Amino acid sequence: MTGSATHSNPLADPRVADVRTRLAAAHAASASAPEKAQAKLDAQGKIYVRDRIALLFDEGSFVEDGRYANALQPGLPADGVVTGRGTVDGRAAVVIANDPTVKAGSWGSRTVEKIVRATEMALREELPVFWFVDSAGARITDQVEMFPGRRGAGRIFHNQVALSGKVPQICCLFGPSAAGGAYIPSFCDLIIMVEGNASMYLGSPRMAEMVVGEKVSLEEMGGARMHCTVSGVGDLLAHDDAEAIELAKLYFSYVPGSWRDHPPTYAAESPAVPLTRETVPERESVPFDIHDVIEGLVDDDSFFELKPLWAAELVIGFGRLEGQTVGIVANNSMVKGGVLFTDSADKAARFIWLCDAFNIPLVYLADVPGFMIGSEVERGGIIRHGAKMVSAVSSATVPQFCVIVRKAYGAGLYAMGGPGFGPDATIALPTARIAVMGPEAAVNAVYANKIAEIADPDERARFVADRRREYEEDVDIERLAADLVLDSVIEADELRSDLTKRLAYASRRDRHFSERRRAVPPV
């Protein structure tokens, strides 16, 4: 066709025809995976990079940049990364997607330049970023060009930090994220890992064996399940690429496009099983699943839990109250009694920072005996990690509501947004108890010597019962309400309506916290 057009058009330039031919070949080279590469993708249960992007963006909305990167080098179509913009359910976003069929998705100098430009575009236009990561890391052959300079790989991380809290960064990890590249997911707000394929590690098992003499499998070193259950680096496990992308889009539906906006709102749906007075067991020693309270509080099927497999004594996630996104932080007495540990404090702190960054009100559901004690957690830095959570609660300027579901003892009350931290309201159910510690522990702490001196078992039991009654009267929930420690005491079946009204009023609140350069968090 090109030859006939040149022959029939005396003004045609054969050099232009040649350019068109070469560009068409370069375009086709990245349009689909080569047969051998596609077979490998199929064997791994993976989807080709452009098909992943098609699942993310609205049809026809994607505009690509840098498709011809490294086109003069054979075997490097688009230099192994696809970048550009499109819309997700009508909302604009940037995508940066590794192509694992091009040298295992490794980075060359132009790969890095494309990623840097895409992050600069996201900063300039304040657009959320979807990171589709599937990369073996840097190409050692390109290290001088792509590693150390001002526009080298380090600039990617610098820009990610600049984007943090400005726009959502959502990572789908479909394959490896090796060495320095492992930090790309770590700077994102959400990491979804495909089980069986995804991995993150600074040094490979082979390198670990060479350097430190450790023999370990890839799954043990940095597999998806390990990171979602042990390290806490991963947020969600997905079965395959398609589910990972669907989860990413679902998460995006709860957050705004940038720090200047508010989350999208949706039609309200009543809970499938509303809260009742029987939902919460009245005896604090009876464990129960806090998910029952969450599901009865938020709109039907709207709770989107994050990190469900890690530090499960604390539940975090997004839900909707009458169509409006809220962040939920809740103690779960079914797991370790709902006690706060170092991991659960970390889990809460980061989630609170996330909600505060993106204008998402917070609801705390407190049923907490306090922070864990003992030499093991002290050596693990429980004080430092607990302070991190308290710092996050203190500095958050979005509307915050503390709901005392049952017990809120010691520093657990503080960590769950108690009255001293200026919540928009502290609400208690009739099952609530607030104290420095539980009655039994308090009596033992104060009267241990006296109790030990009483020889008669019956007399000792009466003494303990009397002291316990005095203690419980001292922290009686009606007394706390009378002293204005609590703003309201309501039944569980009133909670959803009460919070919905309070949210509407609190939306007008001032967002200023403190005049300074920045905080120095106890991390």
Side-chain angles (χ1 to χ4, degrees):
M1 181 182 292
T2 304
S4 62
T6 305
H7 180 74
S8 61
N9 183 1
L11 299 179
D13 188 332
R15 290 173 299 180
V16 174
D18 178 59
V19 166
R20 285 181 173 143
T21 299
R22 286 185 283 114
L23 287 176
H27 190 280
S30 68
S32 60
E35 186 176 343
K36 185 177 178 180
Q38 185 61 55
K40 184 177 179 180
L41 290 177
D42 293 341
Q44 295 175 317
K46 291 184 176 182
I47 300 173
Y48 183 55
V49 60
R50 294 189 180 279
D51 296 326
R52 289 170 177 170
I53 292 172
L55 288 176
L56 173 68
F57 286 139
D58 302 335
E59 187 175 356
S61 69
F62 181 51
V63 177
E64 186 173 354
D65 294 311
R67 180 157 186 164
Y68 299 104
N70 232 353
L72 299 181
Q73 285 291 326
L76 292 172
D79 210 35
V81 67
V82 180
T83 60
R85 287 165 287 189
T87 59
V88 180
D89 295 327
R91 302 165 66 201
V94 171
V95 71
I96 299 168
N98 299 126
D99 183 352
T101 69
V102 178
K103 291 192 178 295
S106 60
W107 293 3
S109 60
R110 290 171 181 82
T111 319
V112 169
E113 177 64 22
K114 285 178 67 173
I115 297 173
V116 168
R117 290 187 187 188
T119 55
E120 288 173 343
M121 180 169 61
L123 282 166
R124 185 172 61 249
E125 300 174 15
E126 293 195 347
L127 291 178
V129 183
F130 286 83
W131 294 87
F132 282 5
V133 178
D134 195 345
S135 170
R139 296 177 205 149
I140 302 301
T141 53
D142 285 26
Q143 65 171 320
V144 174
E145 292 81 8
M146 57 75 63
F147 174 68
R150 287 180 175 269
R151 292 188 71 79
R155 195 69 189 176
I156 298 171
F157 309 134
H158 176 278
N159 287 354
Q160 278 194 277
V161 174
L163 285 164
S164 178
K166 183 183 284 287
V167 298
Q169 296 187 79
I170 302 167
C171 175
C172 288
L173 192 49
F174 300 114
S177 184
Y183 284 106
I184 279 185
S186 73
F187 289 123
C188 292
D189 307 329
L190 180 77
I191 304 173
I192 303 165
M193 303 184 73
V194 177
E195 189 162 19
N197 283 335
S199 61
M200 274 187 285
Y201 51 85
L202 297 184
S204 68
R206 183 173 61 180
M207 187 178 294
E209 185 174 358
M210 290 172 57
V211 177
V212 299
E214 180 187 16
K215 290 189 176 182
V216 63
S217 70
L218 177 59
E219 183 59 36
E220 292 168 329
M221 171 73 79
R225 183 160 289 274
M226 187 285 289
H227 277 306
C228 287
T229 59
V230 179
S231 75
V233 174
D235 290 286
L236 298 171
L237 274 178
H239 293 105
D240 55 28
D241 292 7
E243 185 185 20
I245 295 167
E246 192 59 37
L247 286 170
K249 293 171 71 172
L250 182 57
Y251 173 91
F252 189 49
S253 73
Y254 287 91
V255 297
S258 81
W259 67 287
R260 301 180 193 276
D261 304 326
H262 290 276
T265 57
Y266 296 85
E269 295 187 39
S270 298
V273 182
L275 291 175
T276 69
R277 299 184 182 194
E278 286 71 45
T279 303
V280 179
E282 295 183 3
R283 292 186 180 275
E284 69 174 63
S285 59
V286 178
F288 80 107
D289 192 346
I290 197 66
H291 289 90
D292 295 339
V293 174
I294 296 171
E295 295 292 349
L297 178 64
V298 301
D299 293 6
D300 184 28
D301 199 30
S302 73
F303 185 56
F304 187 82
E305 187 171 358
L306 302 174
K307 297 189 186 295
L309 303 178
W310 184 64
E313 65 274 11
L314 187 88
V315 176
I316 60 170
F318 298 128
R320 294 192 177 101
L321 272 176
E322 296 292 333
Q324 179 181 343
T325 299
V326 294
I328 306 286
V329 180
N331 310 114
N332 193 2
S333 62
M334 285 288 287
V335 181
K336 301 178 182 178
V339 176
L340 290 166
F341 288 79
T342 54
D343 284 348
S344 39
D346 275 358
K347 178 177 176 177
R350 192 166 190 273
F351 180 69
I352 293 164
W353 286 326
L354 172 70
C355 290
D356 195 43
F358 293 119
N359 309 312
I360 298 172
L362 283 154
V363 176
Y364 301 89
L365 300 175
D367 183 13
V368 58
F371 284 89
M372 189 60 184
I373 60 172
S375 61
E376 183 178 351
V377 292
E378 293 295 356
R379 285 195 293 266
I382 187 71
I383 295 172
R384 176 166 54 87
H385 293 285
K388 189 188 309 182
M389 182 176 177
V390 171
S391 295
V393 173
S394 301
S395 59
T397 59
V398 289
Q400 297 186 85
F401 301 93
C402 175
V403 180
I404 314 296
V405 177
R406 287 199 306 188
K407 56 193 172 295
Y409 293 154
L413 172 66
Y414 299 161
M416 295 300 289
F421 294 82
D424 291 79
T426 303
I427 304 162
L429 303 185
T431 47
R433 289 185 177 190
I434 299 174
V436 171
M437 61 183 74
E440 185 175 338
V443 171
N444 286 331
V446 176
Y447 299 103
N449 294 335
K450 176 66 175 175
I451 293 170
E453 292 170 1
I454 302 173
D456 180 62
D458 292 336
E459 183 183 350
R460 188 188 312 123
R462 282 194 298 272
F463 178 83
V464 170
D466 288 344
R467 302 293 80 75
R468 178 169 180 150
R469 184 170 57 254
E470 289 172 0
Y471 185 82
E472 289 177 340
E473 288 173 356
D474 194 43
V475 294
D476 176 69
I477 202 73
E478 184 181 13
R479 176 182 175 176
L480 294 177
D483 287 345
L484 297 180
V485 172
L486 301 170
D487 295 295
S488 181
V489 181
I490 60 176
E491 295 289 353
D493 53 15
E494 303 172 68
L495 184 58
R496 175 178 161 89
S497 174
D498 188 88
L499 282 174
T500 301
K501 293 171 187 172
R502 292 180 185 276
L503 267 171
Y505 296 128
S507 63
R508 300 172 175 82
R509 69 170 293 163
D510 176 54
R511 292 292 305 273
H512 179 265
F513 174 64
S514 176
E515 196 71 36
R516 55 188 172 179
R517 296 290 183 195
R518 60 160 297 129
V520 182
V523 297

